[in-house]
Amino acid sequence: MLPNTNIPLRQATPADSGLPVAVLGAGPVGLAAAAKLIERGLPFVLLEAGSRVGSSLEDYGHVRLFSPWRYNIDHSMAALLKPTGWTAPQPDGLPLARDVVRQVLAPFAKLPQIAAALQLHTRVLAVSREGFDKVKSVGRDRAPFVIRAQRGAERFQIRARAVIDATGTWGTPNPLGADGLPALGEAEAASRVFYGIPDVLGAHRHRYEARRTLVVGAGHSAANALLALAELAKTVPSTSLAWAVRSPVLTRVFGGGNADALPARGQLGASLRRLRDAGQLEFFGGLRITEVREQDDAVTVIGLDADGRQVQVDGVDEIICATGQRPDLSLTSELRVKLDPWLESTEALGPLIDPNVHSCGTVRPHGHRELAHPEPGFYTLGVKSYGRAPTFLMATGFEQARSVVAAIAGDVEAADRVELDLPETGVCGIGVPGIAAAGGDCCGEPAQPATQQATQPAAPATITRGGCGPKSCGPAAQPPVPSAPRCCG
């Protein structure tokens, strides 16, 4: 069940009303938030560290998305583009990541309302309250936000009535080390490590042809890299590939196959399974990397298997680190934020997306109450709202933006309304080791605590089961109970 947050909703004070809303990050979700602000008639400033909008998408622009166009175009952005003669792509087509930038985000950024507010090459360094550090309380909610930013050699501040943090996580990848720290020797071997999804068949081909590459990771990024390397090996047979994952259980990795409501997502996992089963790659399951050691003209990767025995992978020429990303929490060190203690997502989302106990890649649509913090007027949106958890759909971010902007505008009725139905993954935590130990299965009826607060409504009598997406997890939920099993509903 989707928990609501216990954070009280407080409206912006009249003193704040003349200031802009600061949107941090000009990716798909940040631009969607800007579109909602335009619709609401609210002034805003849009800060982007890159040289163009959607710069993170451009980094893996060669990758074909598994979600079709219908899930990758925000309705408000489309409505604002339509009078310019812009035509939406076919809704069922599968775009490359760069197509989203070039066919939607870039044209949107040229609109006069966006161009006037957009500041490129502007890196946000920190966010605070004017005249208040983290400790001070009295009068805090009436003070404007201050955003410390840098453009070139210049550092400056911007005052804002509210802040939407949509900076994402792409710029802060997880390391190879299984303990969350860089593996010993990882920094020294940096020239051989690519973090993210390289263009194996294009711009980065020279790095991988006729070489042995180890791909580390168990998500969609790793799958894309492995499948591209397998294609390269067909034309350059001396190319070899190896795959290392930390978990010995690959249920979530291979996905729901034909049961996935996004066929391309299901096919991605199925293709990876066939590649593994056909013996076209070396596979190291349950490998927790501890060290990367340069030896002669290659590197050796050292780690422990699931039983704690040392494993050594010799003769590696290149490493692709596809272990996911993590949020940059330094931006908000002077704000009162409330995060899930291990995922670093917004607190209310943690129980729904914890990969320790369920494998679902779909989370019920949620809004301003789940994305707020104890700091009134500050919201985390987009993939950053998920913290270190995997699998985020753009459509989720668009709905987040709609709800949050409505809340900033004071339209709580619209902010609380859910206006999104997401595709189910076709794979869930049922039967996956770890679920039973957590005290429940995915989408099952959660255990009720012995006592509940008097203000908490009773749980619904029945919950529709089957699958793990938003349509199968029952009605909206009540405030979270810390002892309840972490699952997707």
Side-chain angles (χ1 to χ4, degrees), residues 75-95:
H75 297 311
S76 298
M77 292 173 65
L80 289 167
L81 279 167
K82 190 174 181 180
T84 69
W86 176 83
T87 303
Q90 288 298 315
D92 294 326
L94 293 175

Side-chain angles (χ1 to χ4, degrees), residues 362-397:
T362 303
V363 177
R364 178 187 296 282
H366 48 272
H368 68 117
R369 297 187 185 275
E370 291 76 34
L371 301 167
H373 294 276
E375 195 74 68
F378 176 75
Y379 300 90
T380 308
L381 270 65
V383 68
K384 191 172 185 178
S385 69
Y386 274 34
R388 300 191 186 199
T391 311
F392 183 87
L393 293 176
M394 272 186 233
T396 299

Side-chain angles (χ1 to χ4, degrees), residues 216-456:
V216 181
H220 299 116
S221 297
N224 274 293
L226 286 163
L227 293 171
L229 287 166
E231 283 298 312
L232 181 61
K234 291 178 181 178
T235 56
V236 185
S238 54
T239 301
S240 64
L241 54 151
W243 180 26
V245 296
R246 295 169 183 168
S247 172
V249 180
L250 298 180
T251 303
R252 180 172 61 86
V253 178
F254 292 140
N258 293 334
D260 197 317
L262 294 179
R265 182 169 58 188
Q267 290 167 12
L268 185 65
S271 296
L272 183 58
R273 182 194 292 272
R274 287 193 295 270
L275 188 67
R276 197 278 309 263
D277 293 347
Q280 293 178 261
L281 52 77
E282 294 177 81
F283 178 65
F284 300 91
L287 176 60
R288 292 167 287 164
I289 295 173
T290 57
E291 184 178 358
V292 179
R293 186 181 300 166
E294 293 194 273
Q295 293 182 331
D296 300 325
D297 194 31
V299 296
T300 295
V301 175
I302 301 169
L304 302 174
D305 67 12
D307 297 319
R309 295 170 298 198
Q310 182 170 299
V311 175
Q312 187 166 308
V313 184
D314 297 311
V316 175
D317 298 306
E318 292 285 340
I319 300 173
I320 296 174
C321 181
T323 54
Q325 292 79 35
R326 58 182 64 179
D328 179 1
L329 302 181
S330 66
L331 301 183
T332 56
S333 61
E334 285 303 317
L335 293 182
R336 296 177 176 182
V337 296
K338 200 168 188 180
L339 303 174
D340 182 88
W342 51 92
L343 294 183
E344 296 173 345
S345 65
T346 55
E347 185 185 51
L349 292 182
L352 306 179
I353 57 181
D354 187 349
N356 290 292
V357 294
H358 72 88
S359 60
C360 313
T362 303
V363 177
R364 178 187 296 282
H366 48 272
H368 68 117
R369 297 187 185 275
E370 291 76 34
L371 301 167
H373 294 276
E375 195 74 68
F378 176 75
Y379 300 90
T380 308
L381 270 65
V383 68
K384 191 172 185 178
S385 69
Y386 274 34
R388 300 191 186 199
T391 311
F392 183 87
L393 293 176
M394 272 186 233
T396 299
F398 300 155
E399 171 64 5
Q400 289 179 340
R402 185 203 61 78
S403 174
V404 163
V405 171
I408 292 172
D411 187 351
V412 179
E413 188 277 329
D416 284 340
R417 195 167 57 238
V418 173
E419 298 183 359
L420 179 66
D421 186 22
L422 292 174
E424 299 189 19
T425 64
V427 62
C428 201
I430 298 173
V432 177
I435 297 296
D441 62 16
C442 199
C443 295
E445 189 165 356
Q448 294 299 317
T451 61
Q452 294 180 334
Q453 296 180 2
T455 57
Q456 181 175 334

Side-chain angles (χ1 to χ4, degrees), residues 67-105:
S67 54
W69 275 112
R70 69 174 71 252
Y71 294 110
N72 298 319
I73 302 176
D74 174 67
H75 297 311
S76 298
M77 292 173 65
L80 289 167
L81 279 167
K82 190 174 181 180
T84 69
W86 176 83
T87 303
Q90 288 298 315
D92 294 326
L94 293 175
L96 297 174
R98 61 172 169 253
D99 294 337
V100 176
V101 178
R102 297 171 189 182
Q103 296 185 45
V104 182
L105 305 190

Side-chain angles (χ1 to χ4, degrees), residues 452-475:
Q452 294 180 334
Q453 296 180 2
T455 57
Q456 181 175 334
T462 59
I463 296 177
T464 304
R465 297 174 184 266
C468 205
K471 292 182 289 187
S472 52
C473 291

